[in-house]
Amino acid sequence: VQLQASGGGLVQAGGSLRLSCKVSGLTTSDNFMNWFRQAPGKEREFVAGIKWREGTKRYADSVKGRFTISRDGALYTVYLQMNDLRPEDTAVYYCASSSGVIASTVGARSWGQGTLVTVSS
């Protein structure tokens, strides 16, 4: 599977952004699509995941109530709607596929290139 992330940018605190991840070459092993982020000097962390067929969603506690993951099966695209952004959300955001539920980079199958989100205070 190939993943192409886009949509990052500079936004003020309290603002919103929507990230997109275009999926191609989906296989039967890519049951989940996930968003991760990596802030400078920190490890890459799980943000949200969605089961491709059923649409079941999971979120990190730090983004619950502010971020929403969704997918458009017809367009083979996964989205991350980010509202009420905070400076601590500043990071490079990555999409990744997995065969099962994951909460860390362990188990990720394929990665897209990152897209930078910068939230100014």
Side-chain angles (χ1 to χ4, degrees):
V1 64
Q2 290 78 47
L3 307 171
Q4 178 92 21
S6 62
L10 174 64
V11 63
Q12 288 189 332
S16 299
L17 277 176
R18 188 178 79 158
L19 306 183
S20 300
C21 178
K22 181 71 175 177
V23 181
S24 59
L26 198 64
T27 74
T28 55
S29 296
D30 301 301
N31 298 310
F32 292 80
M33 292 296 161
N34 309 277
W35 285 99
F36 284 78
R37 67 186 181 186
Q38 187 165 19
K42 294 189 177 181
E43 293 188 351
R44 195 170 296 187
E45 64 174 1
F46 172 82
V47 174
I50 187 166
K51 195 168 186 180
W52 184 257
R53 289 185 182 274
E54 290 84 357
T56 311
K57 304 172 185 181
R58 292 173 57 246
Y59 298 94
D61 288 343
S62 58
V63 306
K64 277 182 184 175
R66 301 188 298 123
F67 290 12
T68 303
I69 189 170
S70 63
R71 89 272 190 246
D72 186 323
L75 296 179
Y76 285 90
T77 301
V78 180
Y79 302 100
L80 186 68
Q81 177 67 42
M82 305 185 294
N83 298 328
D84 189 25
L85 283 161
R86 304 167 181 169
E88 54 264 36
D89 295 317
T90 294
V92 177
Y93 284 71
Y94 300 87
C95 52
S97 67
S98 62
S99 57
V101 173
I102 58 175
S104 73
T105 58
V106 176
R109 286 174 44 82
S110 297
W111 292 91
Q113 93 293 356
T115 185
L116 176 63
V117 172
T118 303
V119 183
S120 63
S121 57

